[in-house]
Amino acid sequence: MSSSRLAGKVALVTGSSRGIGRAVALELASEGADIAVNYLTSTDAAEATVSEIEALGVKAVAIQADISDAEQVDRMVSTVVEELGDLSILVNNAGLTRDGLVVRMSQNHWREVIDSNLTGTFNCLQRCAKHMMKKRYGRIVNLSSVVGIEGNAGQANYAASKAGIIGLANSVAKELGSRSVTVNTIAPGFIETDMTQELPEDRRQMILNQIPLGRFGSPEEIGKLTAFLCSDDAAYITGATIRIDGGIMM
Ligand code: NAP
């Protein structure tokens, strides 16, 4: 274990079967937190993440739930509390893309992205906030994107969902501050995951040329920032949106 800033805490990380969520789950576990690994379809990958977390000497459980469905979220949160005994950290990470130019975007692709990314974040946040308010302690970290701040051609649905997360998070930060629950948002640039693997090579090169640090970020770098925001070292930070993007937005 690298340090134990999160010893005794229980964290729910949505979409942690792979990618950024998996790295966040492993980082929080390495700091001592017990982890609920939420996923949608990747059962084997979620079980593998659980095994890796357990090898770090903390408890972990995999929970299948579609975060866009409030009833499934309800069940998931009850399972976390039953099986791990508490819930003091929520990382709203799960998300998806359905890219296309706005004039050709189908209602389905609009809805799918808003339902998963924005309504899904709302569902988890609302259910977990009730628990945290009673306990008068909590840490909520949401994954937005630089695209939610700047917009991006071909991603109107995704950008709208990620901008919505910032407004949602800041409002909830104001509502929950008096209960010692902090709510912060991370806005990554381009991070090496399945999501960015889908980019055509020429587009990857074009993006790399715009990043002052000259590389994509790693999921582990998002994990480290999330662990900091969940720790007592960040107790006076709430309602912040932190870009972690290699400088692409300067
Ligand atoms: P990823 O590799 O595509 O993984 C997505 C994760 O979300 C998977 O675990 C997936 O579960 C889960 N998921 C998707 N929809 C879900 C739903 N409705 N209910 C429950 N779980 C669901 O994505 P990533 O690149 O790691 O991105 C993670 C987050 O960071 C996303 O919110 C993304 O928008 C944000 N982000 C990523 C980047 C980047 O460059 N990669 C940049 C900025 C922001 P299954 O495995 O079961 O399908």
Side-chain angles (χ1 to χ4, degrees):
M1 230 177 252
S2 57
S3 74
S4 50
R5 285 189 298 186
L6 305 179
K9 301 284 193 287
V10 174
L12 166 61
V13 184
T14 66
S16 48
S17 48
R18 52 199 174 87
I20 292 172
R22 175 181 165 279
V24 167
L26 284 166
E27 186 62 33
L28 300 186
S30 79
E31 297 247 17
D34 295 328
I35 311 286
V37 174
N38 158 252
Y39 67 101
L40 183 60
T41 56
S42 309
T43 310
D44 290 350
E47 294 295 352
T49 306
V50 164
S51 300
E52 280 182 79
I53 291 169
E54 286 172 341
L56 295 168
V58 294
K59 286 191 236 159
V61 57
I63 307 176
Q64 195 276 333
D66 182 346
I67 57 159
S68 67
D69 180 327
E71 280 179 23
Q72 292 188 37
V73 169
D74 241 27
R75 226 175 303 133
M76 168 169 72
V77 171
S78 300
T79 307
V80 176
V81 177
E82 270 162 40
E83 299 209 5
L84 298 176
D86 195 11
L87 208 184
S88 40
I89 296 170
L90 166 67
V91 182
N92 280 311
N93 164 81
L96 50 79
T97 51
R98 295 288 180 264
D99 296 351
L101 295 174
V102 76
V103 289
R104 286 196 228 120
M105 190 171 286
S106 67
Q107 282 281 323
N108 274 353
H109 278 181
W110 169 264
R111 274 206 204 99
E112 216 182 323
V113 170
I114 297 295
D115 287 355
S116 286
N117 297 4
L118 183 56
T119 307
T121 297
F122 166 76
N123 288 339
C124 295
L125 210 152
Q126 188 186 47
R127 188 64 183 80
C128 292
K130 285 179 189 162
H131 187 82
M132 291 171 181
M133 280 169 79
K134 270 192 223 144
K135 293 260 168 178
R136 295 191 164 265
Y137 178 87
R139 294 278 184 271
I140 300 175
V141 177
N142 307 288
L143 268 290
S144 176
S145 167
V146 291
V147 164
I149 300 169
E150 288 283 284
N152 194 25
Q155 289 197 306
N157 48 0
Y158 181 74
S161 74
K162 293 298 181 181
I165 286 173
I166 295 172
L168 168 65
N170 291 352
S171 305
V172 179
K174 289 184 177 178
E175 290 184 22
L176 301 187
S178 63
R179 311 291 174 101
S180 302
V181 178
T182 66
V183 187
N184 292 293
T185 303
I186 295 177
F190 288 85
I191 310 298
E192 291 282 8
T193 67
D194 293 347
M195 200 177 261
T196 41
Q197 284 302 323
E198 290 167 12
L199 290 168
E201 192 45 42
D202 55 338
R203 177 116 174 81
R204 273 177 79 86
Q205 265 317 318
M206 212 181 74
I207 294 165
L208 276 174
N209 293 340
Q210 293 167 21
I211 302 175
L213 289 182
R215 63 174 178 85
F216 284 3
S218 73
E220 290 71 25
E221 287 170 318
I222 307 295
K224 300 258 183 226
L225 176 56
T226 307
F228 166 69
L229 289 172
C230 292
S231 74
D232 286 343
D233 295 336
Y236 200 56
I237 302 177
T238 196
T241 299
I242 302 177
R243 289 189 293 117
I244 172 164
D245 63 0
I248 196 171
M249 274 199 17
M250 279 190 287

